[in-house]
Structures are given as structure tokens and as C-alpha cells.
Amino acid sequence: MGNCLKCFQSSSSSSAAPTLPTSQSLPNALQNLNANNSCQAATSIGNCYDIVQSNANDRPRETDELLSNRTPLKPANNCDTKRNSFKSLGLLNGSAPTMSDIITTVKESMEVSPQALNKLFEIYRDPDEEDMILTDGIERLCLDLNYQPDEFAILVLAWCLDASQMCRFTRTEFIDGLHKMRADSIESIRLRLEHTIEMLKVDSEMFKQLYRFTFRFGLEPDQRVLSLDMAIDLWKLVFTVQTPDLFSNWVNFLDKHPNIRRIPKDTWNMYLNFTEQCDIDNYDDTEAWPSLFDDFVEYEKNRALEMATVHDDDNNNDDPLQCHVKAGGDMRHVS
């Protein structure tokens, strides 16, 4: 995570991708309840989320036109509690005497305990910092969540908490963020993360907000640009769930040009637009793209031309007629 990516990556190994519970595992009655009362994620995923209101004590926000004012999203009650509601209902095993008892159980599952949130924070709080969870605490939290610190899910968690800095969760970020997630236990945090990751795979607007957050999250204090190494690491991380077609070419281009040392915010933000709108053949260099994209496209075109030339030469060398002519010429020369 963040500035700790290097040290986390050196000491961690990849873990298995989380699997989500499927509707086949639910009782038939609950499937019917789901069909009638829950939001239809396949057709209106965006409606399952509300904009999180900024806390009055939050730090100042960037106002760049490339950045959305939208912050990490809060699931609406009828959507984000759906899985917990099913679990609570399942525990009833049909023993509830009335529907009102079922509704009461569902309502209780939607509530988040402030005491549980504070207790959870204290478990991971740094012993020397009253209001901070730092690297050691984050590593223990990741272990309990069954994730590695450099996994995509932990970036998503930082986004959901609206964390202001890498390798650190403040008390306010942690408690307010989990309250907005409707999660007050390790089990519920993991469940929310799994749900959010699945939605990021299909909701492009939601992914865009995570993508833009990642740049700010990766900045060193008081810095306005990312180092190239950090930018590449964060690009690889944020594109875990959906990798652009030319991404490996892009990384190769950056690696081949040591004079490129920094990635500014507009380049980071517009790279996502570039991957969605352009390829090497339809790129228009008269549009307002960062000059780095012009260089990348030119580099790729030249590389393709060189490969085509080499391929043609190989074909000529393999042509039996050409080989015969060359061999005859050599023989005449020798005689």
C-alpha cells in the first residue's frame, strides 16, 4: 500500500482471489425476497451508491477540473446491507413468528456499533500514536482480512476510508469510513470489499473515482507529482481488475526512456481516457493529449515498422528462389 508498496511487495506473496457468495447458496424464499426487494445491480449499479459527504474536519480537496468532486462512495442501505440481511435471515431458519420479527432482524443488521468501531480501531492502533494506525497495524489488519498489504483490495479499502496518506489510517478516517461502509467487524469489512471489487469490474464511473484517488493517495507529503517508479507500481495495482490493451507497451515505453522521471496529475488522469478512446492507429496528435502520449504513439509506430522490416527480411532469406540465386552467385564468384 502506498509508499510501503516496495517493502510490502518484498515480504508478501499473492493470495487467492476472493470468491463471492452466490444466489445458489441461498434458500429459495430468500432468493424471491431478493428478487422483489433488492436493487438490480446488473441494470442500475450506480443507484446502489450515494455520495459521501465530506467531514468538516477533512483536509482541503483538490479542485482540478480533471478530478471529480465525488469521494469514495457509500452504499445505500437497501443495497449494502443485502448480504448481511440474508445472513441474519438465514439464521432464523423459518422460526420467526411474524414478518415484523424478520424486518426487525434486517434493521438490526443494518446498524453499525460505534463501540465496535472504536474497539476495532484500538486493536490496530499504533502504541505510540493515539489516533493513528501505521504500518505494523495495517499489516495486522491485512492479515486478519486474509489479504496481502500490496493487494488491490487494500487499495480499495484505503479508497473507501478516503485515506489521505499511504501506510496510515487516522482514527477519523478509519471509524467514519467503516461507518459509511456499514462495517464494524473483520467479517463485514471483507464482505464489503468483495462486493465493492465486483462492482468495480462492471461500473466504469466507479472505477474512475478509484483511479483518480490512487494518484492522490500515492503522493509523498507536499509533493504534486508521482515518481515514475511509484506511478508504475500504482498503475499495475489499480489495473488489477481491468488491464488496458496497451498497458504492457506503455510500461515498456516508460522503462526504455530513463529521462521520464515524473508523472504529473493530468498525465495520470488522462491516461485512463487514452486507454478508453484511443489505440495506436486512431490516435490524433492534434487533440489536447499530454506530449508523453505523442511520444508513446510515435515510439510504438516506429517499433512496429522495425518489426515489419525485420519480418520482411526474414521472409526474403527463407525464399528458396532467393536462396538459389544467392547460392549460384556465390558459386560463380568462387569459380
Side-chain angles (χ1 to χ4, degrees), residues 154-304:
I154 304 307
L155 174 64
V156 174
L157 176 61
W159 174 57
C160 290
L161 301 184
D162 199 18
S164 60
Q165 187 174 319
M166 297 176 175
C167 305
R168 186 193 78 176
F169 295 143
T170 67
R171 181 185 295 270
T172 298
E173 290 168 351
F174 188 81
I175 292 179
D176 289 357
L178 292 184
H179 189 273
K180 292 166 185 175
M181 289 174 68
R182 297 293 187 267
D184 58 7
S185 67
I186 290 297
E187 180 184 13
S188 58
I189 293 172
R190 183 173 177 86
L191 195 63
R192 296 289 184 263
L193 288 177
E194 291 175 348
H195 186 204
T196 303
I197 290 169
E198 289 304 304
M199 296 190 72
L200 284 164
K201 294 178 181 178
V202 296
D203 189 328
S204 59
E205 179 59 28
M206 186 177 178
F207 179 79
K208 185 182 294 184
Q209 307 315 312
L210 170 65
Y211 179 83
R212 290 174 173 175
F213 163 83
T214 302
F215 178 86
R216 172 172 63 80
F217 186 61
L219 290 174
E220 296 278 359
D222 302 322
Q223 297 296 313
R224 299 177 62 87
V225 296
L226 290 176
S227 69
L228 180 61
D229 288 344
M230 177 60 69
I232 290 176
D233 285 340
L234 291 177
W235 263 318
K236 291 178 179 178
L237 183 60
V238 77
F239 284 130
T240 298
V241 297
Q242 48 179 329
T243 305
D245 292 338
L246 292 172
F247 182 63
S248 60
N249 303 59
W250 172 250
V251 173
N252 177 67
F253 164 74
L254 296 175
D255 286 338
K256 295 286 187 181
H257 292 78
N259 58 308
I260 304 171
R261 300 178 180 178
R262 303 274 190 280
I263 299 296
K265 182 172 58 180
D266 63 336
T267 299
W268 175 275
N269 287 341
M270 293 187 72
Y271 179 71
L272 185 61
N273 297 336
F274 173 80
T275 63
E276 295 173 343
Q277 300 174 18
C278 299
D279 58 32
I280 299 304
D281 295 327
N282 70 8
Y283 180 78
D284 185 355
D285 59 7
T286 63
E287 295 184 8
W289 295 109
S291 60
L292 188 60
F293 296 174
D294 297 342
D295 296 340
F296 168 62
V297 171
E298 182 180 1
Y299 173 82
E300 283 298 302
K301 288 182 176 179
N302 291 336
R303 192 169 69 90

Side-chain angles (χ1 to χ4, degrees), residues 298-316:
E298 182 180 1
Y299 173 82
E300 283 298 302
K301 288 182 176 179
N302 291 336
R303 192 169 69 90
L305 184 60
E306 290 173 1
M307 291 178 63
T309 301
V310 171
H311 181 69
D312 289 343
D313 290 343
D314 290 342
N315 286 341
N316 289 336

